[in-house]
Each structure stands twice: as C-alpha cells, then as structure tokens.
Amino acid sequence: MSSDISMADVKAAAQRLDRFAPVLMALFPELRATQGVIESALLPLNHLQQPQLPGGAAAGALWIKADHALPVAGSIKARGGIHEVLEFAESLAHRHGLLDGAPDYGVLVGESARTLFAQYEISVGSTGNLGLSIGIMASALGFRVTVHMSSDAKQWKKDKLRANGVAVLEYEGDYAQAVEAGRQRAASDEFSYFVDDEHSLSLFLGYSVAALRLQRQLVESGIQVDATHPLFIYLPCGVGGAPAGITFGCKLIFGDAVHCFFVEPTAAACFLAGMSNPDRPGISIYDVGMDNQTEADGLAVPVASELALAQMRPMLSGVMTTTDDTMFADLYRLHEQEGMKVEPSAAASLSGPRMLLSSEAGLAYLRQQGLLHLMNQANHIAWSTGGLFVPDQEYRGFLEHGRTVVTMP
Ligand SMILES: *Cc1c(COP(=O)(O)O)cnc(C)c1O
C-alpha cells in the first residue's frame, strides 16, 4: 500500500491549494495578506528549557511549528479538512462545467457555483477541530454541512459550528461511534459526501503538503537537515491522519535525516496500540486497557486510521505517550515563557524532546541510529496543532490547571 502514494500526489495536493488561493482569499479576508495561502510560522522557542542529554550536554535547538495559529480553522485540521472540501468542490465544478473557460477558480464563489454546492451536503464525524475546519470551509462555499460529534465534545466547538450554520448531531459514546453514525447516514444519500477521518486519502495528502512548506521555512531559518544535522519532529496524534500525512511528506523530502515521533495521551494511545499489534487490525484502546479519559479532546480517539498505520509502519521512528498533567504544564509554560496560546492536545508535542532525551527507549534509539554524538547539531520541532479559537474563559481554566501542576510542591 505504501508504494501507492508518491511525491506526485503530494505536489498535486499542493497545486490544488494553489488553484484555490483566489477562492480562499475572496472568502476569508484574513488570508489577503498571504494571497490565499493558509500557513503557520516556524518559530524558535528560546525561553523554554532547551533540549539536553542526561548529564546536561546540549542536544540541539528547539522550534515550534505554530499550527495553533493557523487561520480559518484554528488548528492543524486546516491542512487536511480544507483540502478535502476543496477537492470535492473542484470535482463537482468540473462535472458541471463551471470551470470550462474560466480564467481562474474565482468563479467558484459566484452564484452558479453556490447554487450547485447548496444541493450537496458534506458531513464528517469529529471530536471538534475537524468539524470546525470542514464546517467553516464547506459552509463558506455554500454547501450544507452536518457534523457528527460525541456528546462529550467541547461545547464551545459545537456552538461555533452552529453559529456558522452547521447542523451538529450529538451521540452518546466516543469518537469512533460518531464517525460510524455519520458514515452510515451519508451512504444512503447520493447528495451527501462523507469526509472519513479513518480512511481518507484526501485528508492525508492535504496534511502532507505541510512538508513542502516546512522545507522552505527550514531553508529560510538557516536550518540544515542532513546526515550530520538530524531533524526531530514531534506530532500530536489522534486518529493519525494529520501526523502521518506530515511524516510521509517529510520522509519523502529528508529521508533518513528526519526522525518523526507521534505523541499520544496515555489514556488514548490508539496509534501505539495499532503499531504494536499489526496482526489485530481495528484494535481499540479499550482492548488494551485504556479508557479514553483525556482533556486533550483532539487526541481522544479509540481507534487509529488504518491508512495512517499502513503508511507509518516502515517510516515512523516511534510513538510516545504523555499525561494530561504534563500537557497542561507545557501549555502553561508556553504561555508564560513564550507568549503562545495552545490547546492541551497541541502541548503534547513538547513532551517529545524530553522523552527522547531522557527515556531509556529514546536514548536507545539515538544510540542505535548513531546520533548521540551529533545531538548538539540537532533541531527539534514541536508541532503545535491547535488553540487559536479556544475561548478566553476556557483557556483561563487550562492555564490554571497548568499553573497548579507546575507550582506543585
Ligand atoms: C486532530 C488533531 C490532532 C491529531 O490529528 P489526527 O489526524 O486526528 O491524528 C492533533 N491536535 C489537534 C489539536 C487536533 O485537532
């Protein structure tokens, strides 16, 4: 399966986003400054504790890929979710001749496009952020949108969707059940398109485009990536599509010089369960004694994407798990020391460098890869996946939780 997807597919997704730039710019004023490109900054983290080996030797520079501030969707889902909505809109527009003779995609914000799109429903199962990205993008184009959510999803995410004209259906039970309900309902309706987080190639490729963008930012930041300058990337993982898409793109570009790790909550480590049990497809966290109880709602997923698992088996360096208290402590430190606002899921990435550099397993990996003596030339990127839209009151609660952990005697 892994040989089926190539750099040509990643570039095709990047080109699709380019073609839609005039549309995005017309629909979202906040994208005028970037000519319709949705992208985040790569920033140094100068004030947080710097990466160190046991004994205190410097172990490279620490960076953040600031997807917590991605415009339009406020999370990493802007990459995959928006790409899939645009791909569907593009295929409809072609099928109905809307793009014939058009100078660019600007026609897709016109009346005839809206009339066409309004006949279709786009639906998705979501813990929150995927629904936000699909809901905001699809309703802006004129689609009807339904988001299937588990009842424990954050209230403010449901409210924000409803304020955008999105129908939110709530389900008792977890994320996987909400996805299944949405999939069933859409299957019986030819005017309904279901974004399937557990299987979607379009989502995966949308995420993978981040690697091309990162490549340019690394050059601009003067960061070398090669056999003697290893790059470590730490990606929070829910169902696995986002971190797998990004890892896939990064491995295509940087090969053995990049080392990608996923970070999951200890209570919801579905990717770890999937990677450790290749003979048990569809294995859930409940099968291995985890209970899905985590405040990192973007990562509260019981079953990993099979597509992501299949792609990652040959190339992922490892999966780490971290506790809610640690995520809240890092969320708090990011705010206090770097002035950045992230949600708990995003803060999981900051556990990455510490676990690599202080755990037995992490150090064994570095030894086995022959990297220990090169660590002072390493770069570490914590991928920060969401936060922009978190309401102030909610965020103050997060900060308070984090402060309590950090200042605990
Ligand atoms: C969705 C999400 C992730 C992980 O993406 P998956 O594709 O589910 O693995 C990480 N952080 C945040 C904030 C998210 O919303």
Side-chain angles (χ1 to χ4, degrees), residues 167-360:
V168 177
L169 301 183
E170 298 181 49
Y171 298 86
E172 295 303 321
D174 61 30
Y175 177 65
Q177 288 167 283
V179 171
E180 184 53 30
R183 189 186 288 130
Q184 296 284 343
R185 227 185 64 142
S188 55
D189 180 354
E190 62 173 305
F191 287 95
S192 188
Y193 177 86
F194 183 65
V195 175
D196 197 329
D197 199 16
E198 291 175 354
H199 302 94
S200 168
L201 180 59
S202 184
L203 282 178
F204 184 90
L205 291 173
Y207 290 122
S208 73
V209 172
L212 297 171
R213 309 258 179 96
L214 178 68
Q215 181 181 29
R216 196 153 79 203
Q217 291 180 321
L218 289 167
V219 172
E220 286 163 4
S221 301
I223 299 175
Q224 232 173 305
V225 183
D226 55 36
T228 57
H229 299 81
L231 177 65
F232 297 86
I233 304 182
Y234 309 93
L235 298 138
C237 173
V239 75
I246 292 171
T247 296
F248 183 84
C250 287
K251 293 300 280 187
L252 279 177
I253 294 171
F254 301 111
D256 292 342
V258 69
H259 306 265
C260 296
F261 294 88
F262 291 1
V263 189
E264 299 189 294
T266 47
C270 64
F271 214 84
L272 179 62
M275 288 293 272
S276 338
N277 294 281
D279 52 333
R280 293 171 70 184
I283 188 170
S284 107
I285 56 167
Y286 308 118
D287 300 332
V288 290
M290 301 171 199
D291 63 9
N292 212 31
Q293 295 305 302
T294 172
E295 277 295 310
D297 57 326
L299 314 181
V301 173
V303 182
S305 154
E306 282 299 325
L307 169 74
L309 282 168
Q311 295 298 329
M312 290 302 96
R313 278 210 173 88
M315 65 179 79
L316 190 63
S317 293
V319 184
M320 303 159 165
T321 61
T322 192
T323 64
D324 277 26
D325 272 356
T326 307
M327 289 183 234
F328 279 106
D330 282 325
L331 178 152
Y332 174 76
R333 290 189 195 103
L334 262 181
H335 177 265
E336 296 298 301
Q337 298 175 37
E338 306 280 354
M340 293 178 187
K341 177 189 173 191
V342 306
E343 61 182 271
S345 299
S349 59
L350 287 165
S351 287
R354 281 194 305 264
M355 303 229 293
L356 179 71
L357 296 166
S358 66
S359 71
E360 281 296 324

